Amino acid sequence: MKCIFTLMLLSIVVHSYAQQFQMELDSLIGIIESSPVTNQETIDLRNQYTKQALFANPSDTTLLAFAQSTVDLATELRYWKGLLLGYERVALVYQYSFSNPYKALEYYHKALALTEKDKDLESMGWSIYGGIGTLYYEQEEYGKALEQFKKVLHNDKNLELTATANIANIFGSLNQLDSAIFYYNKALDLEQVTNNPTYKANLYSNLSLVYSQANQMDFALASAAMSIDLIEQYGIEFVRPTAYANASMAYLGNKDYDNAEQYANEALQLSEAQGNIFLQKSAWGTLADVYSAKGEFSKALEAYTKFSVLKDSLNNQNRRVEINRSLLEFEFEKERTIAQAEIDRQSTIKTASLLGGGGLLAASVFGFVLYKRRRDAVEQKKEAEFRALVADTELKALRAQMNPHFIFNALNSIGDYILKNNNETALEFLSKFAKLMRMVLENSENKSIPLEEDLKFLELYLQVETKRQPGKFSYHIQVDEGLDVENTLVPPLLLQPFIENSIWHGFRDKDGIGQIQITINENQDMLICSIEDNGRGIEHITNGNESKKSFGVSITENRLKILNKQKNKEGRLQVIDLGEQKGTRVEISLPLERLF
């Protein structure tokens, strides 16, 4: 089941009890409505109210009109600080009340554009980068999210807590648990946490999830209890849905299925009210595991189906392409502004040159030539970035084809196995198959995943196939000891089609036990992956007819071609026939890519 961490938003400043907090909100709106004129102070109060009201009730969609009217008022007054904060508030409302990352990103970029125009606002831009980081995190673009939060951490001491906590969240999502626990504890030790129950509740909730993943269930339950106690004591509604979802996982790990079901259902109700697809997906995943453990298989299937549908919706590739396109548009606009400034500067130089004489005129012409070259370079950069976006979209389409192909073959396996085995063994097989499918759904939509995660997937896949064909083949996975599998990135599902070919084709009608040797090592700046079997041999399988090449293998070859084009590297695929009844060796060389 996919884990979920509450993001430490860079604008949370809730400290009060629920009743006192509501009184503060009522007081704020009273002051705003009674103000005889609209001035900078009024706009500041409106922005403050929007922020606090949002975190008091994230599902309040009426805040959008209020926030947008604040933006209009700030624009009329030409109050740029108020306008920047107004854009940020509108972005937050779209992000959390409407679950609309497109519009949220649009307004974050409007806020950043103000920091480009006015250097006095530059220091306020770091919180905007943090907001963009949360969008990336929610879209599971963890590498990009980490880049944003590290940028915040290194440039704004005032945001050290939120940036540190969000870095911990990302490591937790990447299953790098030691790093996650380190950063959570670092955040809890910061002075800002001491008198802020919202931060504490948030951190303890996320820490409970990390402890659950690390199988430290006593710590997981204790952390979940501390988070929920703080939420109840201070009425921290913003953290409540995710705290309940994480608590349900802690209880599930302790086999307390009743409490796990209760908290998962409460998290589901709250997240549905908010329209938070990210959290609904997590709650349904937990319920699927709970129902399966309790033997309520019809409910488990229904919950898992809803989990899968939400996962597919959340990972809709158009959403990621839209976000990437918005980022490109912002960068291009930034370049255009710089270029326009250069034009103005060159115009000034030219005027001065005309007044100053022919020598200066020559210098102006020279400057214009330099500018033209720079402008051409900007245009070339824009074209290259759009080409990269097209290639990225093509690659995602190929990965999308990979999923149904793999699932089709896996379902054939499960059908065959159930027909041949008893119910108890079939149930064990179904459990492994469900876990395998979940890993496929979670990993295959990403451009790259840690090698450690891909190895876990391959291990589980091979376990499933050895159960389907007991005694038919054995396997061994060997990884170079010096290779950092947590920090090395690989395209997901790249090796699986070749392993599948060995099992489905190489060992068909083979006398004796088949063997699959998977070897992964590092050679200079390349990652070398080898799959070797002792099957019938590729020539014997295809009889020289390339049209019979596996569909999965064909897709993999196309994926490698696009990856080479994107990265301008020389990754290679070699299929070597070892001879009839001697087997096949597949060698894939990839450019070595690190997470950090």
Side-chain angles (χ1 to χ4, degrees):
M1 177 196 46
K2 190 66 180 177
C3 304
I4 178 168
F5 297 87
T6 310
L7 289 169
M8 289 287 282
L9 302 177
L10 277 73
S11 48
I12 289 181
V13 291
V14 181
H15 303 276
S16 310
Y17 290 89
Q19 184 177 3
Q20 180 184 348
F21 186 55
Q22 187 58 50
M23 291 175 60
E24 291 177 0
L25 285 174
D26 293 341
S27 175
L28 267 176
I29 198 66
I31 295 172
I32 293 167
E33 292 176 348
S34 63
S35 178
V37 295
T38 299
N39 52 26
Q40 293 185 359
E41 183 180 356
T42 308
I43 291 172
D44 288 340
L45 289 173
R46 291 177 67 94
N47 281 325
Q48 182 182 350
Y49 174 82
T50 303
K51 175 182 62 179
Q52 294 191 6
L54 175 64
F55 293 120
N57 183 12
S59 59
D60 184 2
T61 56
T62 63
L63 286 172
L64 180 60
F66 185 85
Q68 287 180 325
S69 65
T70 304
V71 166
D72 293 339
L73 292 170
T75 303
E76 290 177 12
L77 289 178
R78 300 179 65 82
Y79 177 35
W80 307 131
K81 176 183 175 182
L83 181 58
L84 183 148
L85 293 176
Y87 283 148
E88 182 192 38
R89 297 326 189 241
V90 174
L92 288 170
V93 173
Y94 272 120
Q95 187 171 352
Y96 295 103
S97 297
F98 290 88
S99 295
N100 188 334
Y102 317 127
K103 296 297 291 185
L105 194 63
E106 176 186 338
Y107 279 91
Y108 280 136
H109 283 164
K110 287 183 177 181
L112 284 178
L114 288 176
T115 67
E116 295 291 332
K117 295 177 181 178
D118 188 343
K119 294 302 180 182
D120 291 338
L121 301 177
E122 190 172 9
S123 63
M124 299 178 65
W126 304 118
S127 65
I128 309 301
Y129 284 114
I132 293 173
T134 65
L135 282 178
Y136 277 134
Y137 178 87
E138 290 170 353
Q139 297 304 304
E140 300 179 17
E141 297 276 4
Y142 299 127
K144 292 182 179 178
L146 187 63
E147 180 183 347
Q148 299 295 323
F149 288 123
K150 283 190 171 181
K151 188 187 301 182
V152 174
L153 182 62
H154 294 152
N155 288 281
D156 195 331
K157 189 69 174 177
N158 294 326
L159 300 175
E160 181 181 13
L161 170 59
T162 47
T164 301
N166 283 325
I167 289 172
N169 293 342
I170 294 168
F171 280 123
S173 297
L174 291 169
N175 205 35
Q176 297 184 26
L177 304 182
D178 289 342
S179 296
I181 291 172
F182 170 80
Y183 276 98
Y184 280 133
N185 286 325
K186 182 178 179 181
L188 282 167
D189 288 338
L190 293 174
E191 186 178 351
Q192 293 169 270
V193 176
T194 306
N195 298 314
N196 194 316
T198 300
Y199 286 149
K200 282 185 180 179
N202 189 32
L203 289 168
Y204 279 127
S205 172
N206 292 347
L207 199 52
S208 75
L209 179 55
V210 175
Y211 281 133
S212 294
Q213 290 177 282
N215 203 31
Q216 300 180 40
M217 306 316 299
D218 290 341
F219 289 112
L221 282 178
S223 297
M226 285 189 282
S227 176
I228 292 173
D229 285 346
L230 286 166
I231 289 168
E232 298 297 340
Q233 182 180 357
Y234 294 95
I236 308 168
E237 298 306 316
F238 185 78
V239 182
R240 189 186 297 273
T242 309
Y244 283 174
N246 290 344
S248 71
M249 296 182 208
Y251 282 113
L252 175 63
N254 279 274
K255 299 184 179 180
D256 184 347
Y257 302 127
D258 291 337
N259 273 319
E261 182 179 356
Q262 175 191 339
Y263 278 109
N265 276 318
E266 290 185 12
L268 184 61
Q269 291 174 9
L270 291 169
S271 61
E272 286 176 343
Q274 294 178 4
N276 188 328
I277 298 175
F278 191 65
L279 187 53
Q280 290 175 50
K281 178 199 67 173
S282 176
W284 279 119
T286 301
L287 286 171
D289 290 342
V290 169
Y291 292 140
S292 178
K294 294 173 73 172
E296 300 175 13
F297 298 115
S298 60
K299 287 185 176 180
L301 178 59
E302 180 184 359
Y304 179 72
T305 301
K306 291 181 178 179
F307 167 87
S308 300
V309 169
L310 289 169
K311 173 67 180 178
D312 183 63
S313 174
L314 189 63
N315 281 342
N316 184 282
Q317 295 300 338
N318 290 333
R319 175 176 288 192
R320 291 189 180 178
V321 170
E322 183 70 25
I323 288 176
N324 286 335
R325 190 188 334 157
S326 296
L327 283 174
L328 286 175
E329 288 173 356
F330 173 73
E331 292 298 329
F332 298 159
E333 180 63 25
K334 179 179 176 180
E335 291 292 337
R336 189 195 66 77
T337 302
I338 294 172
Q340 184 61 49
E342 182 68 10
I343 291 174
D344 295 341
R345 189 177 72 85
Q346 293 297 337
S347 177
T348 301
I349 292 174
K350 185 176 180 181
T351 301
S353 299
L354 289 172
L355 296 174
L360 291 179
L361 178 60
S364 178
V365 171
F366 179 69
F368 180 78
V369 169
L370 290 178
Y371 157 71
K372 185 177 183 302
R373 289 181 179 177
R374 185 182 184 283
R375 184 189 62 187
D376 292 343
V378 170
E379 292 299 324
Q380 290 172 4
K381 178 186 176 185
K382 289 168 62 176
E383 183 180 353
E385 286 175 326
F386 274 119
R387 283 200 305 268
L389 185 59
V390 170
D392 182 50
T393 304
E394 292 174 350
L395 191 57
K396 287 172 180 174
L398 287 173
R399 289 201 303 269
Q401 294 179 52
M402 189 76 252
N403 280 352
H405 164 73
F406 170 76
I407 293 173
F408 174 78
N409 285 342
L411 285 173
N412 281 341
S413 296
I414 194 172
D416 180 64
Y417 190 75
I418 291 174
L419 288 174
K420 294 179 181 178
N421 292 273
N422 59 47
N423 291 336
E424 182 178 348
T425 308
L427 181 60
E428 179 187 356
F429 184 85
L430 278 169
S431 176
K432 286 183 177 293
F433 175 73
K435 185 176 181 182
L436 189 66
M437 290 301 95
R438 186 167 298 166
M439 293 178 74
V440 171
L441 287 171
E442 291 174 355
N443 289 336
S444 63
E445 297 297 337
N446 297 321
K447 294 179 184 178
S448 56
I449 61 174
L451 176 59
E452 180 183 39
E453 290 300 311
D454 205 48
L455 289 172
K456 287 179 182 177
F457 168 78
L458 292 178
E459 177 68 34
L460 183 60
Y461 171 71
L462 285 162
Q463 287 178 15
V464 168
E465 290 291 14
T466 52
K467 278 192 170 294
R468 184 180 67 86
Q469 303 180 74
K472 185 67 175 177
F473 72 93
S474 63
Y475 66 90
H476 179 66
I477 301 176
Q478 180 179 341
V479 181
D480 187 355
E481 291 183 359
L483 189 60
D484 184 357
V485 295
E486 293 183 1
N487 194 35
T488 301
L489 294 177
V490 295
L493 284 176
L494 195 67
L495 303 183
Q496 183 272 335
F498 300 102
I499 299 172
E500 182 181 62
N501 261 16
S502 294
I503 298 170
W504 282 72
H505 303 296
F507 299 151
R508 182 183 297 167
D509 304 324
K510 175 179 172 56
D511 295 329
I513 298 176
Q515 295 178 347
I516 298 176
Q517 173 70 33
I518 302 168
T519 306
I520 301 176
N521 55 65
E522 177 182 345
N523 184 8
Q524 295 181 348
D525 61 344
M526 302 295 289
L527 186 70
I528 311 299
C529 307
S530 170
I531 304 104
E532 183 173 332
D533 65 57
N534 64 342
R536 294 187 295 160
I538 191 69
E539 293 296 330
H540 184 65
I541 292 172
T542 63
N543 292 322
N545 186 354
E546 287 301 319
S547 66
K548 294 184 180 179
K549 182 185 294 183
S550 159
F551 177 65
V553 172
S554 297
I555 291 177
T556 303
E557 290 176 341
N558 288 331
R559 288 175 68 189
L560 279 172
K561 288 177 183 177
I562 294 176
L563 285 168
N564 281 339
K565 185 185 244 184
Q566 281 183 318
K567 299 179 182 296
N568 195 25
K569 296 286 186 179
E570 293 297 326
R572 292 189 305 164
L573 167 66
Q574 289 182 289
V575 181
I576 304 167
D577 183 59
L578 303 178
E580 186 175 340
Q581 301 302 323
K582 292 184 179 180
T584 305
R585 182 167 66 249
V586 176
E587 291 183 355
I588 301 175
S589 58
L590 298 168
L592 195 60
E593 185 178 358
R594 303 291 191 189
L595 182 60
F596 310 114

